Amino acid sequence: MSSEAVRKHIKRFIPLVDFFAEVLGPNSEVVLNDVTDLDHSVVYIKNPTITNRKVGDPASNFVLKIMKDGIDADTNFIANYSGKSKSTPDLRSSTYFIRYRNKIVGMLCINTNQAPLEALVKQMDTFKKLFEVQTTPISEISTTNKENKTVTRPNKNIKVITENFNNSVSSIAKSAVEKKERELNVSVDFFQQDQKIAVIKELYEDGYFLLKDSIRVIASALKCSSPTIYRYLNKVKNMNQQQNTFK
């Protein structure tokens, strides 16, 4: 498969990016990803202020996860899953998979800022409560109401995931370490070995180690050496193999 032919195939979707951006308006970012170069995945983007990314930025954790774990051959897109960025914490995201000779080579992603809609809904709800008097049927006064919530997943083989948009390999590593610091309420300087391995496990499962220079960057973030990270990574891989063996 010629890399030049793949790039040409992906670039054919640029007019479609322009079209979606024009139709959806400035509240929706439209991104074209080349997944044959995960370190510089973003090749074209419209309305970039939604996630503050630019051409040449790396793939998101969602893209890395798909490339690491794969996806059913008959899955052409995943629509309306949650996403977030540092500047926009509430996104509705959708991804279309671009294939070349039956292999995923690109992804066309749409990220819509939900914040204005959520703010409007809250304002409407506040206004409604000013004039609403709730009533209860007499037969239900002595009963306890239970709320049943239904979660719809777009694809049976994909676990629920929140997509995070980062501008660099180091920002992915930093986010993972900071998440563990908040969870443990302790600085990375005092992480035990098992806690560092837990960070490596999460990053491995999210496909972080598909990125170039990932070992050196996470070693720096976890305050340890690159050989140590390789040892931790091998432990994680062995644990995963053992779990798969007993399934």
Side-chain angles (χ1 to χ4, degrees):
M1 184 168 62
S2 166
S3 58
E4 183 61 32
V6 170
R7 282 194 292 270
K8 277 188 177 181
H9 180 67
I10 294 170
K11 286 181 178 179
R12 290 174 182 168
F13 288 82
I14 288 178
L16 196 57
V17 172
D18 291 330
F19 169 70
F20 280 134
E22 190 68 24
V23 170
L24 298 172
N27 206 45
S28 292
E29 173 189 85
V30 189
V31 190
L32 185 61
N33 286 281
D34 178 354
V35 300
T36 65
D37 183 6
L38 293 172
D39 290 277
H40 310 92
S41 177
V42 178
V43 294
Y44 193 68
I45 185 168
K46 298 292 286 187
N47 302 330
T49 55
I50 302 298
T51 63
N52 289 321
R53 290 183 297 164
K54 62 184 183 303
V55 171
D57 277 354
S60 71
N61 66 321
F62 177 82
V63 174
L64 293 173
K65 184 73 174 174
I66 293 295
M67 297 311 297
K68 176 181 174 291
D69 293 347
I71 196 166
D72 292 344
D74 60 352
T75 300
N76 295 316
F77 63 87
I78 301 174
N80 301 319
Y81 55 89
S82 63
K84 65 179 180 179
S85 69
K86 288 183 179 179
S87 59
T88 315
D90 188 10
L91 296 173
R92 177 168 52 85
S93 301
S94 300
T95 294
Y96 176 82
F97 301 110
I98 300 170
R99 288 181 169 88
Y100 184 79
R101 296 182 180 177
N102 298 320
K103 181 179 179 182
I104 293 177
V105 295
M107 299 186 194
L108 196 160
C109 307
I110 299 174
N111 305 302
T112 301
N113 182 7
Q114 293 283 90
L117 178 61
E118 293 293 335
L120 178 61
V121 169
K122 286 180 180 178
Q123 288 178 354
M124 291 176 65
D125 188 52
T126 300
F127 184 76
K128 179 183 175 185
K129 287 177 180 178
L130 292 174
F131 300 94
E132 182 181 50
V133 177
Q134 293 185 343
T135 60
T136 305
I138 203 164
S139 60
E140 296 178 10
I141 288 177
S142 61
T143 64
T144 301
N145 295 323
K146 292 184 179 179
E147 182 183 2
N148 295 317
K149 293 183 179 179
T150 301
V151 177
T152 302
R153 295 186 181 184
N155 186 287
K156 63 181 180 180
N157 292 322
I158 299 172
K159 70 177 185 179
V160 176
I161 183 172
T162 297
E163 186 169 15
N164 296 298
F165 301 98
N166 293 282
N167 296 328
S168 65
V169 181
S170 59
S171 65
I172 299 174
K174 183 180 177 183
S175 295
V177 172
E178 288 176 346
K179 177 183 174 185
K180 182 59 70 174
E181 285 181 320
R182 290 192 298 271
E183 178 185 318
L184 300 172
N185 195 27
V186 66
S187 166
V188 65
D189 298 303
F190 301 100
F191 277 13
Q192 301 298 314
Q193 184 183 90
D194 60 327
Q195 293 162 344
K196 292 182 179 182
I197 290 175
V199 175
I200 298 301
K201 184 176 187 296
E202 182 173 334
L203 287 171
Y204 171 71
E205 291 176 348
D206 283 347
Y208 165 79
F209 292 100
L210 295 173
L211 298 172
K212 294 175 184 176
D213 214 23
S214 55
I215 294 289
R216 182 191 63 79
V217 171
I218 190 60
S220 175
L222 285 175
K223 309 292 180 70
C224 56
S225 67
S226 293
T228 299
I229 296 299
Y230 278 113
R231 285 201 307 274
Y232 292 165
L233 186 56
N234 286 332
K235 282 186 179 182
V236 168
K237 290 179 179 178
N238 289 335
M239 285 189 292
N240 281 9
Q241 287 176 354
Q242 290 173 3
Q243 288 173 358
N244 291 334
T245 300
F246 291 110
K247 281 184 180 179

